[in-house]
Amino acid sequence: MKASAFSYARATSVANAIELLVAHGERAKVLSGGQSLMPAMNLRLVAPELIVDIGELKELRGITVDRGLVRIGALTRHAELLKSREIAAHAPLLTEAIGHVAHPAIRNRGTIGGSLAHADPASELPACMVALDATIIARGPVGERRLPATEFFTGIYETALSPQELLIAVELPPAPKNSAHFFCEFARRHGDYAIIGLAAQAIVENGRLSDFRPAFFSVGDRPQLAKAAARLVKAAVTPAVLSDASKALSEELDPPEDQQANSAMRRHLAKVLLARCVSALLGRPELSAGRPL
Ligand SMILES: Cc1cc2nc3c(=O)[nH]c(=O)nc-3n(C[C@H](O)[C@H](O)[C@H](O)COP(=O)(O)OP(=O)(O)OC[C@H]3O[C@@H](n4cnc5c(N)ncnc54)[C@H](O)[C@@H]3O)c2cc1C
């Protein structure tokens, strides 16, 4: 199938892109890498009258580390994140997760801003933003807004962005020296969207976890920070404590059923992921031993 007819405008600056979005409202769509928008248009799931191409706006590209914050421009491509030394040093969870996003050809064009604005609940990067306590920066006709990642994702393919706003960057606090991360997803093939996945970061001191942020994806309409994790924070984690947290997780999640998995299977996999995560973060393989898939 081919996309419906549409007009095309190449934005010359962020201000120009916002002017176009203000003038055309919901009839316009921003184009970044096109890896989600173009397939959706070709399937006629969306039919914008105007495409606002921001791909040439160099000010939206690149990674900087300044005054204790890692800032990633919205147009930074997945492939650039994957090979960035700054990201490997300050946000190693992201480096690990990006390797699971689609395939090299898509990672060469797809951007972090596009992935977050697209807000697919099965997507890796939104969950990483929640796990890393990122701030998402939007700019619109009345200026800039800074949104915590936990408030940015509002539903399936829905975010707190208004139709007149551009996502311009994300900011991450750099991983503390005594932090550890975990990323794992179950997918039918490497590069496919996940059936379920978990992105997490924690501080590990004296064999205990603090600031533990496990963000599950593909378990609902948006990434979900597991409240059950509180039972594992600052605790001496025994199999009984982990089992208690797993039970709480199971009660907290209400995963959807689709062609890939039913709700019970996703619940089961979430518990397996939590055990693997805690075991990996604490360096205690016995905590996930004997947990069959
Ligand atoms: C075969 C295939 C497999 C894939 N597998 C995965 C996967 O496993 N995991 C995964 O996460 N993704 C996957 N993707 C999606 C891919 O990662 C996309 O690159 C990404 O979701 C969107 O980035 P983009 O720059 O291409 O955005 P675009 O396609 O250009 O835009 C996506 C949406 O975001 C909006 N948008 C884009 N940029 C901005 C901005 N700066 N401000 C406001 N709105 C904006 C657009 O209007 C559009 O609605 C896959 C895609 C394909 C085709």
Side-chain angles (χ1 to χ4, degrees):
M1 224 191 303
K2 290 256 187 275
S4 313
F6 59 90
S7 303
Y8 171 91
R10 177 170 287 179
T12 52
S13 64
V14 170
N16 175 235
I18 293 168
E19 272 165 28
L20 289 163
L21 294 177
V22 169
H24 296 271
E26 292 192 349
R27 288 170 286 129
K29 274 274 179 197
V30 175
L31 175 69
S32 285
Q35 300 304 295
S36 294
L37 181 61
M38 298 321 292
M41 286 174 64
N42 287 339
L43 290 167
R44 300 209 176 186
L45 298 173
V46 288
E49 289 173 18
L50 175 72
I51 292 293
V52 178
D53 184 352
I54 60 168
E56 296 292 308
L57 303 182
K58 292 198 173 54
E59 70 244 57
L60 295 184
R61 181 157 281 147
I63 300 157
T64 54
V65 184
D66 188 23
R67 278 172 282 170
L69 281 179
V70 182
R71 185 179 167 105
I72 307 171
L75 280 180
T76 309
R77 293 182 174 149
H78 304 325
E80 292 165 332
L81 288 171
L82 187 59
K83 61 181 189 218
S84 159
R85 286 197 197 150
E86 287 89 353
I87 296 300
H90 300 294
L93 169 64
L94 210 45
T95 308
E96 194 171 337
I98 290 277
H100 294 266
V101 176
H103 310 283
I106 290 154
R107 294 200 290 262
N108 283 339
R109 299 291 312 170
T111 66
I112 187 166
S115 177
L116 302 182
H118 189 54
D120 188 321
S123 211
E124 292 82 359
L125 299 189
C128 289
M129 295 301 114
V130 170
L132 295 175
D133 202 13
T135 300
I136 293 168
I137 302 167
R139 197 179 297 164
V142 292
E144 237 170 68
R145 290 198 296 151
R146 300 170 60 83
L147 299 148
T150 44
E151 291 171 20
F152 182 77
F153 304 100
T154 54
I156 302 177
Y157 306 124
E158 283 180 11
T159 70
L161 285 175
S162 80
Q164 289 91 20
E165 280 179 315
L166 269 188
L167 191 164
I168 59 162
V170 300
E171 278 180 2
L172 309 171
K177 283 209 168 50
N178 49 357
S179 67
H181 70 275
F182 173 86
F183 183 89
C184 184
E185 68 177 35
F186 295 117
R188 287 196 181 272
R189 294 171 306 185
H190 187 86
D192 279 6
Y193 279 103
I195 296 171
I196 181 171
L198 173 59
Q201 185 172 278
I203 291 177
V204 186
E205 266 171 344
N206 303 322
R208 298 190 184 208
L209 301 174
S210 59
D211 205 7
F212 181 31
R213 296 180 67 87
F216 283 90
F217 52 104
S218 213
V219 292
D221 67 354
R222 66 195 85 175
Q224 195 166 332
L225 196 58
K227 294 190 187 82
R231 293 168 189 250
L232 299 161
V233 168
K234 300 207 165 120
V237 180
T238 59
V241 169
L242 185 55
S243 168
D244 180 49
S246 278
K247 192 164 167 283
L249 176 71
S250 200
E251 283 162 12
E252 177 182 343
L253 297 179
D254 185 16
E257 174 161 350
D258 57 24
Q259 305 93 317
Q260 300 214 75
N262 64 21
S263 190
M265 179 174 162
R266 282 198 165 90
R267 266 205 186 87
H268 171 70
L269 292 176
K271 291 196 279 183
V272 172
L273 282 174
L274 182 68
R276 286 188 184 179
C277 172
V278 174
S279 158
L281 293 175
L282 293 174
R284 289 179 50 199
E286 82 279 5
L287 287 172
S288 66
R291 286 182 173 262
L293 261 189

